[in-house]
Amino acid sequence: MALATEFAELAAQIHREGTEAGRSRRIGQLAVDHVPGCSWASISDLESGKGRSLGASDPIAAYLDQLQYELGEGPCLHSAAAGTSVLCADLHAAQRWPRFVARALQETPLRSVLAIRLPGREAAAMNFYAEQVDAFDDAALATASILAAHAAGLLVVGEATEHSHHLETALGSSRRIGMAIGVLMAHHKITEDEAFTLLRLASQALHRKLRDIAVEVTETGTLPDLPVRSPVGPEQGAVRVRRTVRR
Amino acid sequence: MSYHQLWLRYIGVSGAAGPLELEAYVLGLLSPDVYEHDLIAQAINEWFIDRGQNHPVGYWHHSEIGK
């Protein structure tokens, strides 16, 4: 029942505003609290090509993730790549991932591990690490699978949030450039294309982004001063913008 | 840079085409007009600015305005 309540809270948390890190940490902590035998937990997102750990419940979990990314082997990578869940009940007896096993046994108290691929994700897994041999029974596997499904949801929410943030930033920049184009069109009696080209030439000559030039134009009403000769090369060096253009 | 990242940068420099249209321009399935061409060049160049390079991608308009 306690777990059902926690899941209900977690679902609410996902849709509430908050950081991805906070939500992930919560899910890692839920794993430690509610998956019998689990000592530390984390989520590994391997979709960008290199590993990224979220929601590590403990520095040891983050370290074990990192070790796998560095060595290019381990239960989490195996699970994400093979699209299946991986259970290693006794690290001492493990034949796979010899470098990871050797380092983990030597450097940490890890003795068994469960990696569950996140459903619907291409390369991501949730890792459940344990200090005991044979730590995970069927009940633990069931609870761990539910948590992994929530973790997959967290990644989707995180991506949607990130996407919306990027789009918001891009639209803000676009709006500012539109304003600057309007200012230049009115001031110089030029077309929209020509105003854009003026901004672009200034961006090129000053080695600054178009948005930064646009901010200056909207704040001062005019283009920033351009160097007579730019040191960057013959093409850019020849660029000079005449302030008064065709009428 | 993914098509999506390019599209976000393109929107950020005041482009207005949708992601599929932009991809079609990049793949050569659609021909951008001069203005669109320079918007796309600017979007790519801003990616290079973030990496310390100064506008390696050429624009359609090379010369000064107003001559």
Side-chain angles (χ1 to χ4, degrees):
Chain A
M1 192 59 203
L3 186 61
T5 310
E6 286 275 15
F7 277 133
E9 271 177 25
L10 179 72
Q13 263 183 35
I14 289 170
H15 296 287
R16 224 181 284 143
E17 203 176 341
T19 62
E20 184 188 50
R23 290 190 293 263
S24 310
R25 248 196 320 277
R26 185 93 188 92
I27 215 166
Q29 197 53 51
L30 278 173
V32 173
D33 292 345
H34 295 290
V35 174
C38 179
S39 307
W40 324 288
S42 65
I43 301 164
S44 286
D45 181 2
L46 300 149
E47 289 177 13
S48 66
K50 56 182 180 182
R52 179 176 75 115
S53 291
L54 299 102
S57 64
D58 191 282
I60 295 185
Y63 179 73
L64 287 165
D65 289 352
Q66 197 56 44
L67 204 53
Q68 297 184 63
Y69 308 151
E70 277 173 30
L71 297 171
E73 65 173 41
C76 143
L77 267 64
H78 188 116
S79 165
T84 179
S85 296
V86 172
L87 173 62
C88 177
D90 183 358
L91 220 59
H92 280 291
Q95 303 290 316
R96 296 165 178 168
W97 335 296
R99 287 176 301 161
F100 168 73
V101 167
R103 291 277 299 273
L105 285 173
Q106 191 181 0
E107 299 171 23
T108 75
L110 182 72
R111 290 302 172 263
S112 60
V113 56
L114 168 66
I116 298 188
R117 189 185 74 105
L118 301 194
R121 307 293 309 187
E122 278 191 15
M126 187 157 180
N127 311 303
F128 303 85
Y129 297 113
E131 290 173 274
Q132 306 297 323
V133 170
D134 279 327
F136 303 107
D137 59 14
D138 288 349
L141 289 177
T143 309
S145 299
I146 296 171
L147 279 170
H150 275 270
L154 276 183
L155 291 189
V156 172
V157 171
E159 281 164 2
T161 308
E162 192 183 22
H163 173 73
S164 127
H165 177 70
H166 285 158
L167 198 54
E168 211 170 286
T169 306
L171 288 173
S173 165
S174 174
R175 194 165 52 238
R176 179 64 74 163
I177 290 165
M179 283 163 64
I181 285 175
V183 167
L184 293 175
M185 285 169 72
H187 189 74
H188 297 296
K189 303 286 184 284
I190 52 176
T191 66
E192 182 184 351
D193 292 19
E194 288 170 335
F196 176 79
T197 304
L198 282 181
L199 287 175
R200 195 266 291 162
L201 287 170
S203 153
Q204 197 169 3
L206 296 169
H207 194 193
R208 286 166 58 191
K209 289 191 172 179
L210 209 61
R211 182 192 57 231
D212 298 342
I213 305 291
V215 166
E216 191 160 335
V217 168
T218 53
E219 283 175 357
T220 66
T222 182
L223 282 164
D225 288 330
L226 303 186
V228 174
R229 290 190 64 80
S230 160
V232 289
E235 189 196 324
Q236 285 90 344
V239 169
R240 276 185 294 128
V241 179
R242 280 175 48 187
R243 294 301 181 79
T244 51
V245 282
R246 69 169 88 104
R247 293 180 181 261
Chain B
M1 180 164 49
S2 69
Y3 281 115
H4 181 69
Q5 288 169 326
L6 173 63
W7 180 70
L8 281 173
R9 286 190 182 267
Y10 162 84
I11 293 294
V13 296
S14 78
L20 282 179
E21 199 177 340
L22 181 68
E23 193 170 335
Y25 287 143
V26 175
L27 293 172
L29 303 172
L30 285 176
S31 296
D33 63 20
V34 172
Y35 190 52
E36 283 295 327
H37 177 278
D38 283 354
L39 280 170
I40 297 166
Q42 183 68 29
I44 300 171
N45 278 327
E46 299 225 335
W47 185 84
F48 280 112
I49 288 177
D50 282 341
R51 282 149 187 81
Q53 297 182 55
N54 193 3
H55 296 77
V57 180
Y59 295 93
W60 200 285
H61 289 113
H62 289 295
S63 56
E64 297 175 27
I65 294 271
K67 279 209 157 173

